[in-house]
Amino acid sequence: MRLRRDDDRQILRVAVPAFFALVTEPLMLLADTAIIGHLGTGELGGLAAASVVLGTVVGLCIFLAYSSTATVSRHHGAGDERLAHGLAVSSLWLAAGLGVALGVGVAVLSGPLGTGLASSDRVAGFATDYLLVSALAIPAMLLILAATGAMRGSLDLRTPLVVTIVANVLNVVLNVVFVYGLDGGVKGAAAGTVVAQWFAAGWLVTVVVRRARRAHAPTDPRAAEILAAAREGVPLLVRTLTLRASLVLGTVVAARLGDVPLAAHQVAGSIVVFLAFGLDAVAIAGQTLTGRSLGAGDAGRTRSLTGRMVTWGAGTGLVAGLLLAAAAPWVSHLFTSDPAVRDALVPALLVVAAIQPLSGVVFVLDGVLIGAGDGVYLAWAGLVVLAAYAPLALAVGWLDAGFTWLWVAYAGFIAARLVTLWRRQRGTAWMVLGTTRSAH
């Protein structure tokens, strides 16, 4: 019983501040959705298409945060503080290089990308406008990922929380001014988010670099460490690619169903992302505490913490599901004035609410295996899940089954993830002790 209380204290110490930091991050997207949604259904559809592109680009680079957390936490657990801080800085250099390259790529391809995911020419125009401006924020977004991951690995959850809250307040204020005060429309909303993202990135990077200097860790770019971080991130990149492919597939199917389903999909997807970030708080604890306990060579503690985090994940998922189910009839009014979009949303949100307990467990197990450095397995599991989900989503489009059934297919996606992750955590192959960061 005492050990269980100790586990709960450790989990809450990480999960509580992580929760508040995580739920404020998607508020940038929710703010854009609410502000743009009241401009019109076409504008909201354009945001839906653009958000998929941006979410895919940044989401594929989530390994910057995950790898940084796992690596830094392992070295802190092993007592090697100087190397931990040095590796954190190397992750920033990697993020900066990737960010510039991807930002340029999105800007150049904004037209084809916006058109490819849009449901009409009018929606395509709005999507292209949003992408062209938002491309400026991509380097900042990746720096935020890497810096936040490093801070989590060193058990500093407070700084990312404060930075995220301030940046979100700034984002809302700027969006209202640019969209309504200056009549900037979709471009104005994107510009406000760009400024807020760079503000957050500058703050977080400054903190990481200062701490590295205090620990006498090198802050100049070291090619060997940067390339090693990139190589270690490849399995997580594949894992994330399979997840993003599933989400993109859902948006493509929604677009083929029409403007109303696409607009409803944007709102439902934004809410799902918001819930996922909230539930991911325990997963962040999984990444951080698993890395530390394995780095310290304590397999028993790792197993104990995993069991408690699974319980917390299921419980928080149940609470999230009940709250969403209760709010489903009226929450759509916050995001759109179109009655057709509202009518399409309610049943879809009820489906999402029903699967939240499963989602909570999925996110926890994913976090534990990421913290253990088990990226290769997660990559293969992601391919299996995509193979299971794709026929379900495509069948909705082929049969013209309706928007709600697209989210029933998403429930199948979550179920497939649960099966693959649960099977892995029951074994011991992922529990590699010491500073080694790759499980086999």
Coordinates of all heavy atoms in Angstrom, one line a residue, residues 2 11 13 54 99 101 137 144 188 228 260 306 312 335 359 370 405 423 430:
R2 N 1.9 1.2 0.8 CA 2.8 2.4 0.9 C 3.5 2.6 -0.5 O 3.7 3.8 -0.9 CB 3.9 2.2 2.0 CG 4.8 3.4 2.1 CD 5.8 3.2 3.3 NE 6.7 4.3 3.4 CZ 7.6 4.5 4.3 NH1 7.7 3.5 5.2 NH2 8.4 5.5 4.4
I11 N 3.6 9.8 -9.9 CA 2.8 10.0 -11.1 C 2.2 11.4 -11.1 O 2.2 12.1 -12.1 CB 1.8 8.9 -11.3 CG1 2.4 7.6 -11.5 CG2 0.8 9.2 -12.4 CD1 1.5 6.4 -11.3
R13 N 3.0 14.0 -9.5 CA 4.0 15.1 -9.5 C 4.3 15.5 -11.0 O 4.6 16.6 -11.3 CB 5.3 14.6 -8.8 CG 6.4 15.7 -8.8 CD 7.7 15.1 -8.3 NE 8.8 16.0 -8.4 CZ 10.1 15.6 -8.2 NH1 10.4 14.4 -7.8 NH2 11.1 16.5 -8.3
L54 N -0.5 20.9 -41.3 CA 0.4 21.4 -40.2 C 0.5 20.3 -39.1 O 1.6 20.1 -38.6 CB -0.1 22.7 -39.6 CG -0.1 23.9 -40.6 CD1 -0.9 25.1 -40.0 CD2 1.4 24.3 -40.9
G99 N 13.1 22.2 -38.8 CA 12.1 23.2 -38.8 C 12.2 24.2 -40.0 O 11.2 24.5 -40.7
A101 N 13.8 23.5 -42.9 CA 13.6 22.8 -44.1 C 12.1 22.5 -44.3 O 11.6 22.7 -45.4 CB 14.4 21.4 -44.0
A137 N 5.8 29.5 -38.8 CA 5.9 29.0 -37.4 C 6.4 27.7 -37.2 O 6.7 27.2 -36.1 CB 4.4 29.1 -36.8
I144 N 9.9 24.1 -29.8 CA 9.1 24.0 -28.6 C 9.0 22.5 -28.2 O 9.1 22.1 -27.0 CB 7.7 24.5 -28.8 CG1 7.7 26.0 -28.9 CG2 6.7 24.1 -27.7 CD1 6.4 26.7 -29.4
G188 N -5.1 36.4 -40.9 CA -4.9 37.1 -39.6 C -4.8 36.1 -38.5 O -4.0 36.2 -37.6
A228 N 23.1 11.2 -34.3 CA 22.7 10.1 -33.4 C 21.2 10.3 -33.0 O 20.4 9.3 -33.0 CB 23.6 9.9 -32.2
V260 N -20.1 20.1 -45.3 CA -20.6 20.0 -43.9 C -19.9 18.9 -43.1 O -19.4 19.2 -42.0 CB -22.1 19.8 -43.9 CG1 -22.6 19.4 -42.5 CG2 -22.9 21.1 -44.3
T306 N 4.2 1.2 -14.0 CA 3.4 1.0 -15.2 C 1.9 0.6 -14.8 O 1.0 1.1 -15.4 CB 4.0 -0.1 -16.1 OG1 5.3 0.4 -16.5 CG2 3.2 -0.4 -17.3
W312 N -4.6 4.9 -13.7 CA -4.8 6.3 -13.9 C -5.3 6.6 -15.3 O -6.2 7.5 -15.4 CB -3.6 7.1 -13.5 CG -3.4 7.3 -12.1 CD1 -2.6 6.6 -11.2 CD2 -3.9 8.3 -11.3 NE1 -2.6 7.1 -10.0 CE2 -3.4 8.2 -10.0 CE3 -4.8 9.4 -11.5 CZ2 -3.8 9.0 -8.9 CZ3 -5.2 10.2 -10.5 CH2 -4.7 10.0 -9.2
F335 N -18.4 26.5 -31.7 CA -17.5 26.4 -32.9 C -18.1 26.7 -34.2 O -17.4 27.0 -35.2 CB -16.8 25.0 -33.0 CG -16.0 24.7 -31.8 CD1 -16.6 23.8 -30.8 CD2 -14.8 25.2 -31.6 CE1 -15.8 23.5 -29.7 CE2 -14.0 24.8 -30.5 CZ -14.5 24.0 -29.5
S359 N -8.9 5.0 -24.8 CA -7.9 5.9 -25.2 C -6.9 6.2 -24.1 O -5.7 6.3 -24.3 CB -8.5 7.2 -25.7 OG -9.3 7.0 -26.9
I370 N 7.6 4.4 -25.1 CA 8.4 5.5 -25.6 C 9.5 5.8 -24.6 O 10.7 6.0 -25.0 CB 7.6 6.8 -25.9 CG1 6.8 6.5 -27.2 CG2 8.6 8.0 -26.1 CD1 5.8 7.7 -27.5
W405 N -20.3 7.2 -38.8 CA -19.6 6.0 -39.0 C -18.1 6.1 -39.2 O -17.3 5.2 -38.9 CB -20.2 5.2 -40.2 CG -21.5 4.5 -39.8 CD1 -22.8 5.0 -40.1 CD2 -21.7 3.4 -39.0 NE1 -23.7 4.1 -39.5 CE2 -23.1 3.1 -38.8 CE3 -20.8 2.5 -38.4 CZ2 -23.6 2.0 -38.1 CZ3 -21.3 1.4 -37.7 CH2 -22.7 1.2 -37.6
R423 N -0.2 -6.2 -25.6 CA 0.6 -7.4 -25.8 C 2.0 -7.2 -25.5 O 2.7 -8.0 -24.9 CB 0.4 -7.8 -27.3 CG 1.3 -9.0 -27.7 CD 1.1 -9.3 -29.1 NE 2.0 -10.4 -29.6 CZ 3.3 -10.2 -29.9 NH1 3.8 -9.0 -29.9 NH2 4.0 -11.2 -30.3
W430 N 11.0 -5.0 -23.5 CA 11.1 -3.5 -23.6 C 11.8 -2.9 -22.4 O 12.2 -1.8 -22.4 CB 9.7 -2.9 -23.7 CG 8.8 -3.2 -22.6 CD1 8.0 -4.4 -22.5 CD2 8.5 -2.5 -21.4 NE1 7.3 -4.4 -21.3 CE2 7.6 -3.2 -20.6 CE3 9.0 -1.3 -20.9 CZ2 7.1 -2.7 -19.4 CZ3 8.5 -0.8 -19.7 CH2 7.6 -1.6 -18.9

